[in-house]
Amino acid sequence: MQFITYILVYPFIWVISKLPFPLLYLFSDFVCFFVYTIFGYRKKVVRENIALTLPHLSEKEQLNIEKKFYHYMCDMFLEMVKTMTISQEEMEERFVFTNLDLYLDLEKKGKSIALLCAHYGSYEWIVSMNYHITFEGYGIYKKLNNKYFDKLVKDIRSKFKATLLSTRETIPTIEKNAKINHLGVYGFASDQSPQASKANHWSEFMGIEVPVHIGAEMLAKRFDMNVIFLKNKRVKRGYYEATFELMSEKPKEVPNYEISDDFLRRVEKQILEAPEFYLWTHKRWKHRKK
């Protein structure tokens, strides 16, 4: 059944990926009408999240963010599909790293790097940084249930010289690389909610106390990795800028959980600057303390 679903859907995905950007965004507006107006995909979750975390805004302002978010979400999803066939030249034009020197200077330190980012802006296009770096780039992701689509996602990322690691593969791979001194940059999108029962740390995120993913911090400490944050900004439709921010070159000397809390503060700053570009469909605050 998984294979049948794949062969039925794949041609449609491929055709979409071949659309020039003006037509792609015209199609995105069409999709958004159905996703938001007709089907109301996760509208209740989005509305509750925005109201909970941005209570200082009026209902009208919150609704405006909600509508803009759905347009962004559809754009982002179709941009991800476009990744299948986009050229390197066009990708470099549309997703610009503003301060690569900061990152490249860290490579010269001879230590692996933990890159922390959020589900914000065009986080799917961050893989394009592999065009510009020497270290092997790894992206930690949640494995898809459909093995054929899972392979497709991996194939798309490998086009950008990125290696995807499932959550189960992450620690063994980092351990193996550390033993043979194979240097890498490991990308962690750590802003989503862990299982409350397995949470070792709670902290405020957008004014709400929630469980926090601390895996990136703990691995950075264990393997003495430099830690950076990647801020992702949407300049205009289809164009983004990404800026590296140094968090720590000596993570073992930083008190436990301080790096994770610092990460959340940076994500909050991003959200408050332009909240419509955050992925509000996730139930990030479902385990909040009352």
Side-chain angles (χ1 to χ4, degrees), residues 31-149:
V31 171
C32 183
F33 173 76
F34 282 91
V35 170
Y36 179 63
T37 307
I38 304 301
F39 300 113
Y41 171 70
R42 291 205 171 189
K43 188 182 288 187
K44 182 180 179 182
V45 172
V46 171
R47 191 163 293 176
E48 288 179 350
N49 283 342
I50 293 174
L52 182 69
T53 59
L54 301 171
H56 59 287
L57 299 181
S58 67
E59 289 187 11
K60 183 178 179 180
E61 289 171 321
Q62 291 177 5
L63 182 61
N64 187 43
I65 290 170
E66 177 185 301
K67 291 177 179 178
K68 287 182 177 180
F69 160 72
Y70 276 94
H71 278 284
Y72 146 73
M73 182 183 71
C74 293
D75 280 2
M76 187 268 296
F77 176 76
L78 292 176
E79 288 168 355
M80 178 180 66
V81 173
K82 182 68 177 175
T83 309
M84 291 177 63
T85 57
I86 194 172
S87 68
Q88 178 178 344
E89 293 74 21
E90 189 159 32
M91 177 63 87
E92 290 181 351
E93 179 185 347
R94 290 178 173 273
F95 197 92
V96 176
F97 294 90
T98 64
N99 60 341
L100 269 170
D101 287 347
L102 185 150
Y103 170 83
L104 295 174
D105 285 344
L106 285 180
E107 282 197 342
K108 296 173 185 176
K109 308 277 185 175
K111 298 198 303 183
S112 287
I113 299 169
L115 184 151
L116 279 61
C117 62
H119 290 86
Y120 184 96
S122 184
Y123 58 88
E124 289 288 343
W125 280 0
I126 292 174
V127 293
S128 65
M129 72 178 284
N130 290 283
Y131 285 139
H132 309 283
I133 68 178
T134 302
F135 286 6
E136 183 169 0
Y138 296 88
I140 289 79
Y141 84 115
K142 187 175 181 180
K143 195 171 184 177
L144 302 180
N145 292 327
N146 187 308
K147 63 181 181 180
Y148 301 101
F149 282 111

Side-chain angles (χ1 to χ4, degrees), residues 14-280:
W14 185 85
V15 169
I16 292 175
S17 76
K18 297 295 287 185
L19 292 175
F21 274 98
L23 288 180
L24 186 78
Y25 290 126
L26 188 63
F27 181 61
S28 179
D29 291 338
F30 174 77
V31 171
C32 183
F33 173 76
F34 282 91
V35 170
Y36 179 63
T37 307
I38 304 301
F39 300 113
Y41 171 70
R42 291 205 171 189
K43 188 182 288 187
K44 182 180 179 182
V45 172
V46 171
R47 191 163 293 176
E48 288 179 350
N49 283 342
I50 293 174
L52 182 69
T53 59
L54 301 171
H56 59 287
L57 299 181
S58 67
E59 289 187 11
K60 183 178 179 180
E61 289 171 321
Q62 291 177 5
L63 182 61
N64 187 43
I65 290 170
E66 177 185 301
K67 291 177 179 178
K68 287 182 177 180
F69 160 72
Y70 276 94
H71 278 284
Y72 146 73
M73 182 183 71
C74 293
D75 280 2
M76 187 268 296
F77 176 76
L78 292 176
E79 288 168 355
M80 178 180 66
V81 173
K82 182 68 177 175
T83 309
M84 291 177 63
T85 57
I86 194 172
S87 68
Q88 178 178 344
E89 293 74 21
E90 189 159 32
M91 177 63 87
E92 290 181 351
E93 179 185 347
R94 290 178 173 273
F95 197 92
V96 176
F97 294 90
T98 64
N99 60 341
L100 269 170
D101 287 347
L102 185 150
Y103 170 83
L104 295 174
D105 285 344
L106 285 180
E107 282 197 342
K108 296 173 185 176
K109 308 277 185 175
K111 298 198 303 183
S112 287
I113 299 169
L115 184 151
L116 279 61
C117 62
H119 290 86
Y120 184 96
S122 184
Y123 58 88
E124 289 288 343
W125 280 0
I126 292 174
V127 293
S128 65
M129 72 178 284
N130 290 283
Y131 285 139
H132 309 283
I133 68 178
T134 302
F135 286 6
E136 183 169 0
Y138 296 88
I140 289 79
Y141 84 115
K142 187 175 181 180
K143 195 171 184 177
L144 302 180
N145 292 327
N146 187 308
K147 63 181 181 180
Y148 301 101
F149 282 111
D150 189 71
K151 183 179 182 302
L152 176 63
V153 170
K154 286 186 173 182
D155 289 344
I156 293 172
R157 298 299 180 271
S158 65
K159 170 185 173 183
F160 295 92
K161 303 177 184 179
T163 301
L164 289 192
L165 298 176
S166 68
T167 49
R168 290 186 177 183
E169 297 170 321
T170 302
I171 294 178
T173 300
I174 296 177
E175 286 179 337
K176 178 183 176 181
N177 287 344
K179 287 179 181 178
I180 62 176
N181 198 31
H182 179 69
L183 300 176
V185 52
Y186 302 91
F188 299 87
S190 302
D191 56 312
Q192 298 304 308
S193 179
Q195 294 181 22
S197 59
K198 297 181 179 181
N200 294 313
H201 178 57
W202 290 67
S203 183
E204 280 198 3
F205 182 40
M206 297 296 291
I208 313 296
E209 194 168 1
V210 292
V212 179
H213 277 296
I214 60 170
E217 175 181 346
M218 294 300 106
L219 289 172
K221 287 175 175 287
R222 178 177 170 185
F223 296 100
D224 192 28
M225 293 189 274
N226 289 320
V227 186
I228 56 177
F229 176 74
L230 186 62
K231 183 179 180 181
N232 187 347
K233 177 183 177 182
R234 193 187 201 194
V235 179
K236 61 180 180 179
R237 200 174 197 183
Y239 292 85
Y240 302 86
E241 287 182 351
T243 302
F244 296 100
E245 298 177 358
L246 180 63
M247 295 183 69
S248 178
E249 293 186 65
K250 298 179 180 179
K252 290 185 177 182
E253 298 179 10
V254 180
N256 283 345
Y257 312 128
E258 195 170 290
I259 290 175
S260 298
D261 288 348
D262 180 23
F263 165 71
L264 291 181
R265 302 293 81 77
R266 294 172 190 262
V267 177
E268 284 178 342
K269 185 178 178 181
Q270 267 191 302
I271 294 173
L272 292 172
E273 286 176 358
E276 62 267 30
F277 302 130
Y278 188 63
L279 195 62
W280 294 106

